[in-house]
Amino acid sequence: MTLDSKIPEGPLSEKWTRYKEQQKLVSPANKRKMDVIVVGTGLAGASAAATLGALGFNVDVFCIQDSPRRAHSIAAQGGINAAKNYQNDGDSVERLFRDTIKGGDYRAREANVYRLAEVSGNIIDLCVAQGVPFAREYGGQLANRSFGGAQVSRTFYARGQTGQQLLLGAYGALSREVARGSVRLHTRHEMMELVVVNDADGTPRARGIIVRDLVSGKLERYAAHAVVLATGGYGNVYYLSTNAMNSNVSAAWACHRKGALFANPCYVQIHPTCIPVHGDYQSKLTLMSESLRNDGRIWVPKDKAVAEALRKGEMNANDVAEEDRDYYLERRYPAYGNLVPRDVASRAAKERCDAGYGVGTTGQAVFLDFKDAIARLGRNVVEQRYGNLFQMYQKIVDEDPYEVPMMIYPAVHYTMGGLWVDYELQTTVKGLFAIGEANFSDHGANRLGASALMQGLADGYFVLPYTLQNYLADQIYSGKVDSGSAEFEEAERAVNERMQRLLDIGKAAEGEHGTVDSFHKRLGHIMWDYCGMARSREGLQEAQKLIADLEEEFWTKVRVPGGTDEMNPELDKALRLADYFELARLIVADALQREESCGGHFRVEHQTDGGETLRDDDNFMFVAAWEYEGHGNAEAMHKEALNFEHISIARRNYK
Amino acid sequence: MTLSNMKFTLHIWRQESAKAEGRFETYMVDNVSSDCSFLEMLDILNEQLVNDAVAHPVCFDNDCREGICGMCGLYINGRPHGNDDGVTTCQLHMRRFHDGDEIWVEPWRAKAFPVIKDLVVDRSAFDKIIQAGGYISTTVGGVAEANSVPVAKHIADKAMDAAECIGCGACVAACKNASAMLFVGAKVSHLNMLPQGRLEALDRVRNMVVKMDELGFGGCTNTYACEAECPKQIKRQNIARLNRWWLASRLGRDRKE
């Protein structure tokens, strides 16, 4: 299989314009006859469904929650990047593009990233028009703040709830289309299977999905001319992550099983500022926005004995004198200080904790201190900027961060990998598109803060509505898709069989058994220990064995109560976990083949003397796109070479 | 001070389906850490129920578990989201309870929020209210440059105060009339206060209020239980603004208002 990324000809800054000028369009009368399925209602899905509906397409949109407004984009805190240069601090499309490529450690596709930077300004214009209440200066102009990996202030924000406000904007636009009748909304529905139908000329095309009504448990069929997947990332394979409980990979994985290649699965972002783990009952980890690093200073004690005393509770953070504190990010990276990219900050925290300087009862935490900011700005200003985050911290940890420094530790947050897509955001299955976190395209090996919101909305509002038409223009002759065909029949049968198989295990297994969550936790431990912030060849090989054994145990001992024809969250979780096992194996295989360190992927064998990532551009400047080869079989890897024509490649340096 | 082995007696509302009759069932959980969230405590109970195979696990809605998605919402000891202020159920921690407490857990109770199963209710009525006008009509291709319309900081801040609503429905559950006026008032305030939302302000309030009544939500009792129980501390001033806009729309004041 050769991967054609379909990057348009011409200079980088003209590619997108040229594409739009030359692409095919669908006439208004034909748009009404074209059915499009959008799965997911986060920033990418909601904005895509709303925009496609407004254009006149006939859209069915699905979400697993009880309302589109609950998609996990809602939890994004800090902000959204855009190259507006409102601060007159030297920002530009070119600079946002370069920061993103560099932040991604030169593992993203130039043309996609440039387009992202190019449309970033339009996003802000649109969101303001939708009534998103971004922070303002006293003169009424939009305010900005700084984020990691940039030396300009280009992040727009709405207190600590930027994702919420942007999602409510997209949800409003979507709701308007639902009222107009162009979009049909299906809440509490989960995609179970992709339906691929061969054309008259034998070309396989995505023509529909099988969904499960999570209330009645019944399977339903939906047919369409194209399917858009906007189902987010797969961080929950680690069990503990900052993702929502219901975020899962299954819809994307169903596409993968049907021929969509899965790219760069080992690129997982571990976010440096999360509330540390405190018990085995814990169901998720809570992020403290990166924006806190604007004003907070990260430190551990210089002296191990002091760290020990802090861990035992014999002294507290405020007792540590200024000269006894090691502001290790400021020390190691004077140019960017506390605002180094996430992967760099996370590894630096792990390095200090592993060396014995960690604090908190477990020793797996560092301080994020606002003492200086409060002295400099006053408590009021700090409260205005971060009030809701401080409140959240206080409720969870039961300590007042205005008085004592926060404790933080890295946690799994975002997944840069995802379904492989070309420049048009189309996967390797024709008619199947993937947008937002569900695709792999823009962030390389590490995503910069405030860029996920930018990408989700860029894809949904400004990119997909164009590229999808280029595909649909050729489909106007195909007529209504029939959901009664043998392919739909077969897809539905496969889903029923999978569900029944899971339910039967519990009935058959006498005695020893485990709950879905107990298996998920064990899988999460394996992934975190062997395929987390630091990875080694031996560790990854060990993980392969452990995952295979655990998967076998799962398929013989998991107990799933209830049946298929009712609301049954245990069954929902079991179906998702079954896919996580396959994904986990692929992540480890990908991490094993990538004999270099880049961005969030850190192989201990490949590092500089200073402990920084060491890329191998000669051998690994490619996207690894994996092809499913059947359950239990090793997947086949295909390479898409990354050609950097515009930017000069350099070692990332934040010192 | 963290306690690691708290014990609770839970009286939980169980109901097979929308049409079935519901009842309280009693369960015991122990070895609960005081750092555990309320939902994590229910996870522990559900693990226990699956392991012992005595009853089906309890269904309850939840997702982000960090207080922002608005999916969770339990009526705990007679209060929406329980006995802490300014938090959702997922942010309520067991340190707010005493070891040995009896805890009563119910779903939201409102005509417009029918029970689906156990503690899960159907809040799609909120979506329908938003569909009636809870947005500003825009076209992706045709908007002005973002800074071309300055918005005074205090207006943007007030709009943001109202926009923080997470749509969980605690206001409805707290109200003896099951009124949605705080929810609707917050959305109307957020959009109508901004210059971008002014053009559609009167239509918006009219359509949303009519839809709210049609869906079976009651009128405001003026007791402000909604404000007291709102996890995002949305203010009752939003109801006053809603009434003002509603009056303006009834008086047929022109759209320049």
Side-chain angles (χ1 to χ4, degrees), chain A residues 251-274:
Chain A
W253 204 255
C255 297
H256 181 50
R257 278 198 305 260
K258 287 286 175 78
L261 300 196
F262 207 97
N264 297 337
C266 80
Y267 293 161
V268 173
Q269 177 162 82
I270 308 216
H271 196 295
T273 50
C274 300

Side-chain angles (χ1 to χ4, degrees), chain A residues 32 43 62 100 102 159 167-168 201 227-228 243 264 277 288 302 311 327 371 387 392 416 425 440 473 502 626 630 641:
Chain A
R32 282 195 292 277
L43 286 179
F62 299 84
T100 307
K102 179 185 172 190
R159 289 188 193 148
L167 184 62
L168 292 181
D201 67 0
V227 176
V228 180
N243 288 6
N264 297 337
V277 177
M288 290 281 105
K302 278 183 184 161
R311 287 196 289 270
Y327 295 95
K371 180 171 63 85
M392 190 155 86
M416 283 73 68
L425 305 180
F440 88 105
L502 283 165
W626 298 86

Side-chain angles (χ1 to χ4, degrees), chain A residues 423-436:
Chain A
Y423 187 73
E424 297 186 300
L425 305 180
Q426 187 166 211
T427 68
T428 46
V429 175
K430 289 207 164 47
L432 175 68
F433 294 74
I435 57 177

